[in-house]
Amino acid sequence: MRAADLIVKCLEAHGIERVYCVPGESYLALLDALYDSSIKVIICRHESGAGFMAIAEARLTGKPAVFMVSRGPGATNGSIAIHVAEQDATPVLLFVGQVSRIERSRGAFQEVDYGQFFGGMAKGIYEVNEGAKIGEIVTRSLRLAGEGKPGPVIISLPEDVLSDEAGDTVSSPFPVAAARHGASDITAIQAMIDAAEHPLIVAGATLRGAKGAVALERFAEALRIPVAVTWKNQDIFDNGSPLYAGHLGFGNPPKHRQVLGSSDLIIAVGTRLGDVASLNYTFPTAPQPKQKLIHIYPDGEPIGKVFRTDFGLIADPAAVLTDLAAHPRVVSSARESWRSSINEFVREFQRFTSPEPNDAVDFGKVVVSIAAQAPDDAIITTDAGNMSTWVHRHWVMTPKNTLLGAIAGAMGFGVPTAVAAAIVDSTRMAITFVGDGGILMTGQELATAVQYGAKPKVVISDNGIYGTIRTHQERHYPHRVSGTDLVNPDFTLWAKSFGVFTVTIIQGDDIDAKVKEFLAHDGAAVLHVKSSKEALSAFTTLSALH
Ligand SMILES: Cc1ncc(C[n+]2csc(CCOP(=O)(O)OP(=O)(O)O)c2C)c(N)n1
């Protein structure tokens, strides 16, 4: 077999159903090998879009997903997704073209040393110099991407290698047992919980999916422990539950920090306790938390990395929670009243109130209307920007939802992830929220949606500014606007040019009726909202910053 054919056979053996790509002359042989394969090739319009789509698929399926880009410019365009996959611990495999072996290290046309370029971001970078090693490298890469703390892995393919004779040994996945905890671990954790008055669960991305969400719910219910979820992981716990203790990330008001700060035990489970999840290393406080800290994660790397940890456990978080849930407790009224004080704060915080802006539409009202009218199991994706603040604050999500957002805060994430979600699971509605900045970074992937008959719903907040940056600017340099104003195209006309259904909301419109029309359309659709600059985010107004 040609090396290119063997790659495809190995991917098939690993159950890969799709690859996202922008083609390049550097990997034509691989595209040719895909011609005869059951693997579906999703052609994208920018490599960042292809990478973000692979991230969306990986998050939805819990398995590594694959994208392919050309050498040099294709690789550099796609690098944003490698950074996001690293920061968001998402398993993706990137195949990238490379110059031929004879040209390597001569500074040849479009040559990039991927070891150096992706060095600080990828979990593994392998350049295939002998076709015979293909199977081994594909299996190793997919395993590495998904195991422990997941992340991106890169396979570099010198052009001439793809046509090498590589043999016909197809490498398939092999079973690997998860790291298991023991009965003594459960006893030790249980004793720490019993000794605590105000224990708090901080739950993260590893609990995504039905198994994790059910284990988390059962554990929290059995021991009556409130659950705070980490940044952009609201979908792992019912935000309407009396045990919900809110979302940790940007914009947590002082009162929230205060109630959470009165906990005496943090059970961090399935989270790396990174800087956003830990409120910039203040909750828990680095390096010495005020509370006792239990940290359960499938990989030892984040445990004790920043915080002094009282009990660290490398294990499958869902399995540990399931075992802990088998020991329910009748808890003290002190714990119950503490739980209810957190929950009361969260409930109040979720309520939407806003001084009506008079310059344009309050985007928050549109978000609240969509949350009320969308199907219970909607997939929600968010771009980076102020428009997402209302989604995080006011959408009362449950594990029926899937929330896809970039912890890395990458603009351009919204549209491609909604397109991929609509492709991967066409039975659910995929809705994305994106600003007028982000939409022109990757909004052209609407063409990909149309090409594959996918039906994402795209909501654009068109406020004429890079709103998030304007917020920081007004706070630090009031009335000195520099670099944050935008002159936009007409996004309704722009969207129509892709052939998708459009609805526009301007000031004075009946928001609920327009949202209804938008959501009811059976196809890709764009909701263009002429939003207010004054209603700057879910946390502040423009005039409040002056
Ligand atoms: C790729 C990338 N470039 C720049 C930034 C910095 N940045 C963060 S939010 C933002 C503005 C977003 O503006 P917009 O999409 O209009 O949304 P808004 O905040 O107005 O709702 C910028 C420039 C980023 N996070 N990602």
Side-chain angles (χ1 to χ4, degrees), residues 112-135:
V112 168
D113 184 322
Y114 301 123
Q116 289 192 33
F117 182 68
F118 290 114
M121 293 188 262
K123 274 183 97 177
I125 304 163
Y126 305 107
E127 193 151 287
V128 184
N129 285 309
E130 296 92 34
K133 282 196 182 160
I134 287 285

Side-chain angles (χ1 to χ4, degrees), residues 478-527:
H479 297 294
R480 289 175 60 80
V481 173
S482 174
T484 53
D485 270 337
L486 296 172
V487 175
N488 284 325
D490 181 328
F491 287 112
T492 303
L493 288 178
W494 172 85
K496 275 190 203 301
S497 75
F498 289 90
V500 306
F501 179 71
T502 60
V503 177
T504 312
I505 300 185
I506 59 168
Q507 200 175 13
D509 279 348
D510 179 340
I511 291 175
D512 287 340
K514 291 269 179 151
V515 164
K516 188 170 179 201
E517 187 190 356
F518 166 67
L519 293 178
H521 179 73
D522 183 20
V526 167
L527 180 63

